[in-house]
Amino acid sequence: METTYQQRTSLAATGRRVSALWWLAPAAALVAAALNIGIYYAATATGLLPTNLREPTGGTIGPGHVVMASVVPALLGGVLMAALIRWADRPLQAFTIVVVGICLLSMAGPAAIPGNTPSGVAVLGLMHVVAAGVVWLLFSRGART
């Protein structure tokens, strides 16, 4: 079967968009982690976020958790975006729906932490929104190139 010019150029564009994710995903991870670490330290210094919060396994929630909760979703988002670019008709629309849905679902996590305060829930929720926003913003720009 012979491919048309439009099919060849479409495949080339798809390859460029997917290859851009190789640097966008780590960049999104670094930016989200840096912003959330800043929020974490500002919130703990001002007393908005309790310093004695415990995760379900018993450890104290600290900067390492903040970094991992920013980096892992960004990298997984890169994998998801690459798959959507390759197989979805409207990858950016599908990615936006998934990011918003996951961000909304993740809001239950901060509220479920024992001993968390209302301001702590708000700060942790803000961190989730920041991570999702950075990932969406960088990936949406990369998907259009």
Side-chain angles (χ1 to χ4, degrees), residues 74-133:
L75 298 178
L76 292 175
V79 171
L80 172 65
M81 188 65 176
L84 291 172
I85 287 171
R86 178 74 176 106
W87 291 299
D89 289 333
R90 293 183 171 162
L92 185 55
Q93 182 181 17
F95 187 72
T96 300
I97 291 168
V98 171
V99 167
V100 169
I102 290 173
C103 187
L104 289 173
L105 288 173
S106 74
M107 293 300 166
I113 297 173
N116 202 356
T117 62
S119 63
V121 171
V123 168
L124 292 174
L126 173 64
M127 288 187 204
H128 287 220
V129 170
V130 166

Side-chain angles (χ1 to χ4, degrees), residues 24-104:
L24 282 174
L30 289 173
V31 170
L35 290 173
N36 280 336
I37 282 292
I39 292 169
Y40 173 82
Y41 282 120
T44 54
T46 58
L48 291 173
L49 184 65
T51 57
N52 61 347
L53 292 179
R54 298 238 178 250
E55 63 180 17
T57 59
T60 304
I61 296 175
H65 290 89
V66 172
V67 170
M68 290 307 294
S70 301
V71 169
V72 171
L75 298 178
L76 292 175
V79 171
L80 172 65
M81 188 65 176
L84 291 172
I85 287 171
R86 178 74 176 106
W87 291 299
D89 289 333
R90 293 183 171 162
L92 185 55
Q93 182 181 17
F95 187 72
T96 300
I97 291 168
V98 171
V99 167
V100 169
I102 290 173
C103 187
L104 289 173

